Amino acid sequence: MGGYIIKRVASAIVTIFAVATITFFLMFLVPGGPFLAEKAPSPQTLEALEKKYGLDQPVTVQYINYMKRLVLKLDLGTSLKKRGQEVNDIIRVRFPVSAKLGGIAVLTAVCLGIPLGSIAALNREKWLDRTIMAIATVGNAIPSFVVATVLMYVCGVVLRILPTLGLTSPAHYVLPVISLSFYPTAYIARLTRTSMLDVLGQDYMRTAKAKGLSRFKSLFKHALRNAVLPVVTYLGPLLAFIMTGNFVVERIFTIPGLGSEFISSITDRDYPLIMGTTIFLATLLIVLNVIVDIAYKIIDPRIKLK
Amino acid sequence: MSDKRNPLSFQLDVSDFLPADESEKQSLVVMRESVSFWKDGFRRLRKNKVAMVSLAVIIFIMIFAFILPAFYPYSYEQQIRGSENLGIMQYSKEELARKAAGEKVFPHFLGTDSLGRDITVRLMMGSRISLLVGLVASAIILVIGSTYGAISGYFGGKIDMIMMRIVDIIYTVPDILIIILFSVTLKYPLKDLAANVKGFAWIETVGVGLISIFIVFSLLYWVGMARIVRGQILSLKEQDYVTAAKALGASHGRIIRKHLLTNAIGPLIVTTTLQIPSAIFTESFLSFIGLGVSAPMPSLGSMASQALNGIRSYPHRLMAPAIMISIIILSFNLLGDGLRDAFDPKLKD
């Protein structure tokens, strides 16, 4: 177990390092640097700016400086468009908003998807199963921006029952959370149904029935416990999905989170901010994935430790 | 030949050894033609109603996206003066006047946008982009992934280990972030390449945005394909026909191409088909956040994103691309599931 954890952590560190390097060098492909926006500054200003941000030095020196700051001080640099604002500060302010929204969405997807999938499996080939699976199949085909915009129009503009802008009250969370968790809920429901059907056909379920265990007990103690294992493996992709979903959902509902900040930094071509956010989110995802993987190995001892 | 033969005699009846006549030969011919892999698969696919309906929808959308724009009286970038912001089936004053004069005016089925561009034809072009991205990206992923996976699985040992470590690392990289990053930055060097290097002018014709999407997808998404192909090859290479081919002196390339990949064709088809909707998904996401193909070329994602501002007055502008993209993804998903059931029953979950 210890060996596995060390291996996983080491490979995660390599990946994070690779992402940081790719990010840095990709930003170098952009000609003229980050100051060449709509209105070009005068050559003198440009030179002064480049000097200030160390852009006049050779690539290798800049890379080493950048990495040094990143590793030793965890410093992601300064935003170019928002004068003087540290990327770290922007993330510190914006990220909790996104994390809260994303966390609620993850919980919703898991808490809705597993019961729905189990109900479908227990009513196999009946109308309830067919309805749930039809909805899940359609749900798996709708991008989150479509869910979000349509919900916004129907609930916010036509029916006017829910607020659509910002995140100031609990009611504000309803639409963004539905938009974010729609696809993963559908996916988890399908996943749970398949594995539940598999588990229900196992010998130990028959044994449980034969030894007189109540249906409730056999379902919760034996079936569900084994059936949710594949859902644990989906948690990694789920987190990634919620994160990207956050980008568009925050933009649509004008939520002041890190996602909408990231999108506007792309439109603004604010390169340090793009870089910083990418590295931060990538690190977060990679770390979360390592935790999920290790947790999976602990939960299911049958999985061989590589 | 005589009938006087003693019934207990051991003498052979010569008539048993006469050449068979036609009717006897006919009775021995196998009545049914042998069922090839393709025939068997397609027979199963044809029985799957959901998959067949999805296939029909896909073909319909392809006609809508690739053929109809050529015959459509408006073009996707044409800004019709005076007919900005028309609603569904509305005409502008000018067009009404022309109609009154007896001229035939082609209706704007879905109205026009704020620049006076016909939304129906833009929807067609947007679907074209989505389909193009899905099909081309999947084809590239198929080529790279199957080559890589086949080499890794076939040679095994150290080569396999190193190649798979690379795959593992790419697999753990958060793909969407890197894709966004590439899309932000790749446009500049590509534009540079098209403008300054001879022989690369075609990049401009295809569109820088589209090319960078292809590059980005093929850089990251092939790893899943590579893993699946490698798994297939690992089990296939132990088969006797591979040993036989080796004994006959076939080269490694020939064995991989003719024996291993052809026998893994089922999973290859299924994985490629299921790759299409996920590529379309990602493309629509990218164009929604303002990356992807460059204006005036429309994409379903960017159309939905632009419609967001006028959602109160012109909801149909949002609904049209939203419904279109969902239908495209849904049909490809269902077709992929059908193909999996038909060609690769082992993969069925």
Side-chain angles (χ1 to χ4, degrees):
Chain A
M1 192 70 203
Y4 173 78
I5 294 176
I6 290 170
K7 227 176 183 177
R8 243 0 229 100
V9 171
S11 94
I13 291 171
V14 171
T15 316
I16 294 169
F17 188 77
V19 169
T21 310
I22 293 171
T23 313
F24 180 84
F25 284 100
L26 272 181
M27 286 303 158
F28 249 89
L29 289 178
V30 186
F35 306 111
L36 271 191
E38 300 81 49
K39 39 178 185 176
S42 70
Q44 288 90 350
T45 340
L46 198 64
E47 207 172 294
L49 277 171
E50 285 190 338
K51 203 159 204 172
K52 188 184 167 198
Y53 291 106
L55 295 178
D56 52 345
Q57 283 158 328
V59 190
T60 41
V61 178
Q62 282 191 46
Y63 175 67
I64 292 167
N65 283 341
Y66 172 76
M67 276 304 191
K68 256 192 207 155
R69 268 189 305 153
L70 193 64
V71 177
L72 299 178
K73 296 188 201 156
L74 296 178
D75 180 7
L76 294 168
T78 318
S79 165
L80 289 172
K81 289 287 155 74
K82 305 183 169 176
R83 283 288 147 75
Q85 273 209 54
E86 297 275 321
V87 174
N88 287 29
D89 290 335
I90 295 177
I91 292 176
R92 204 169 295 135
V93 175
R94 298 287 192 133
F95 178 65
V97 181
S98 302
K100 195 173 168 194
L101 183 62
I104 295 174
V106 170
L107 279 180
T108 314
V110 172
C111 295
L112 272 180
I114 292 176
L116 281 176
S118 313
I119 291 170
L122 291 175
N123 295 286
R124 191 184 179 180
E125 303 293 316
K126 289 187 191 139
W127 66 269
L128 197 57
D129 174 32
R130 284 174 203 278
T131 319
I132 292 175
M133 279 307 109
I135 296 172
T137 312
V138 175
N140 264 339
I142 307 181
S144 48
F145 73 82
V146 172
V147 182
T149 45
V150 171
L151 274 180
M152 176 168 172
Y153 177 68
V154 174
C155 299
V157 179
V158 178
L159 302 174
R160 293 176 188 278
I161 43 172
L162 284 165
T164 53
L165 299 177
L167 259 194
T168 38
S169 75
H172 282 86
Y173 277 92
V174 178
L175 292 183
V177 166
I178 296 177
S179 329
L180 275 177
S181 53
F182 195 67
Y183 177 93
T185 307
Y187 194 91
I188 291 177
R190 289 181 69 165
L191 209 61
T192 312
R193 178 182 180 268
T194 322
S195 72
M196 192 71 165
L197 284 178
D198 188 40
V199 169
L200 289 177
Q202 296 285 333
D203 286 342
Y204 57 77
M205 287 307 292
R206 205 181 333 141
T207 313
K209 200 178 173 186
K211 76 177 182 188
L213 213 59
S214 71
R215 181 152 170 78
F216 180 83
K217 234 180 180 173
S218 73
L219 280 183
F220 274 84
K221 276 212 131 169
H222 296 282
L224 199 58
R225 266 184 153 185
N226 286 298
V228 296
L229 281 176
V231 178
V232 179
T233 43
Y234 175 63
L235 280 181
L238 169 67
L239 292 168
F241 180 87
I242 295 279
M243 188 198 72
T244 45
N246 247 335
F247 296 163
V248 290
V249 169
E250 282 180 12
R251 198 194 99 109
I252 292 166
F253 294 107
T254 49
I255 294 163
L258 192 58
S260 53
E261 184 68 52
F262 188 50
I263 300 304
S264 58
S265 75
I266 290 172
T267 359
D268 290 347
R269 299 286 188 257
D270 187 344
Y271 294 108
L273 194 50
I274 300 178
M275 251 159 105
T277 318
T278 308
I279 293 172
F280 173 73
L281 289 176
T283 311
L284 184 76
L285 262 189
I286 293 167
V287 170
L288 286 175
N289 266 323
V290 171
I291 295 173
V292 167
D293 276 3
I294 294 172
Y296 187 58
K297 297 274 147 63
I298 295 171
I299 295 169
D300 190 359
R302 285 171 302 178
I303 306 289
K304 206 171 65 190
L305 293 174
K306 284 195 270 186
Chain B
M1 304 289 163
S2 65
D3 294 314
K4 289 171 204 161
R5 189 157 51 82
N6 185 331
L8 295 172
S9 150
F10 282 112
Q11 192 185 0
L12 292 169
D13 186 355
V14 186
S15 69
D16 285 348
F17 294 90
L18 285 175
D21 60 14
E22 272 312 303
S23 65
E24 263 177 307
K25 274 186 194 165
Q26 277 301 309
S27 72
L28 283 174
V29 171
V30 179
M31 293 308 286
R32 212 155 52 110
E33 255 181 88
S34 69
V35 181
S36 71
F37 170 77
W38 296 104
K39 263 192 194 156
D40 188 39
F42 279 116
R43 203 182 49 199
R44 258 178 287 177
L45 187 65
R46 260 202 300 277
K47 277 190 196 151
N48 188 339
K49 274 189 202 124
V50 177
M52 287 320 279
V53 171
S54 321
L55 187 64
V57 171
I58 290 170
I59 292 171
F60 180 76
I61 294 175
M62 280 187 173
I63 295 171
F64 178 77
F66 287 99
I67 301 173
L68 272 189
F71 301 104
Y72 209 73
Y74 305 109
S75 92
Y76 69 93
E77 47 185 358
Q78 180 189 359
Q79 304 183 2
I80 307 158
R81 288 257 170 84
S83 22
E84 287 88 7
N85 288 329
L86 293 180
I88 296 175
M89 290 305 274
Q90 274 181 350
Y91 294 96
S92 66
K93 276 180 195 155
E94 244 173 84
E95 283 165 338
L96 280 177
R98 268 165 57 204
K99 256 186 107 162
E103 224 180 309
K104 267 197 176 167
V105 177
F106 201 80
H108 303 288
F109 293 107
L110 292 171
T112 54
D113 66 6
S114 54
L115 293 171
R117 296 177 294 197
D118 186 89
I119 289 180
T120 320
V121 72
R122 287 180 73 73
L123 191 67
M124 290 176 192
M125 294 308 283
S127 319
R128 180 188 287 192
I129 296 292
S130 286
L131 290 172
L132 261 183
V133 167
L135 296 173
V136 177
S138 308
I140 298 174
I141 291 164
L142 172 69
V143 172
I144 300 179
S146 59
T147 318
Y148 193 95
I151 291 174
S152 176
Y154 179 75
F155 290 107
K158 274 217 177 85
I159 298 177
D160 183 36
M161 206 199 73
I162 294 169
M163 287 176 92
M164 280 301 125
R165 275 297 90 74
I166 297 172
V167 165
D168 285 345
I169 288 184
I170 298 181
Y171 210 81
T172 44
V173 167
D175 45 9
I176 202 79
L177 287 169
I178 300 298
I179 285 178
I180 291 176
L181 214 57
F182 269 103
S183 310
V184 172
T185 50
L186 260 186
K187 280 185 184 168
Y188 299 97
L190 277 177
K191 262 187 197 149
D192 209 38
L193 196 67
N196 299 331
V197 185
K198 258 195 180 173
F200 281 99
W202 53 269
I203 290 180
E204 278 294 347
T205 17
V206 185
V208 174
L210 214 49
I211 297 275
S212 72
I213 286 178
F214 292 152
I215 295 178
V216 163
F217 282 18
S218 44
L219 275 175
L220 287 170
Y221 279 164
W222 57 269
V223 285
M225 178 69 86
R227 277 187 169 177
I228 287 170
V229 173
R230 174 179 169 268
Q232 291 286 322
I233 300 292
L234 278 183
S235 64
L236 285 175
K237 74 171 181 182
E238 305 296 333
Q239 302 277 330
D240 288 339
Y241 57 77
V242 177
T243 323
K246 266 185 197 159
L248 286 168
S251 66
H252 294 310
R254 191 185 155 83
I255 292 175
I256 290 177
R257 264 180 284 119
K258 292 272 172 183
H259 297 284
L260 296 176
L261 284 180
T262 31
N263 276 299
I265 198 90
L268 281 181
I269 294 173
V270 175
T271 321
T272 312
T273 319
L274 288 173
Q275 194 75 57
I276 296 173
S278 75
I280 294 177
F281 220 104
T282 313
E283 189 275 334
S284 70
F285 166 78
L286 282 182
S287 52
F288 186 83
I289 64 173
L291 299 165
V293 293
S294 22
M297 183 59 93
S299 148
L300 295 176
S302 60
M303 283 174 77
S305 163
Q306 283 156 14
L308 212 57
N309 300 325
I311 190 169
R312 271 158 219 280
S313 334
Y314 311 103
H316 67 278
R317 281 190 204 161
L318 171 73
M319 296 302 164
I323 292 171
M324 195 64 182
I325 192 94
S326 307
I327 290 177
I328 293 178
I329 295 174
L330 182 64
S331 335
F332 273 110
N333 271 344
L334 293 175
L335 178 68
D337 286 349
L339 281 174
R340 184 186 53 202
D341 295 349
F343 284 99
D344 196 13
K346 269 176 290 175
L347 266 182
K348 196 178 173 183
D349 32 71

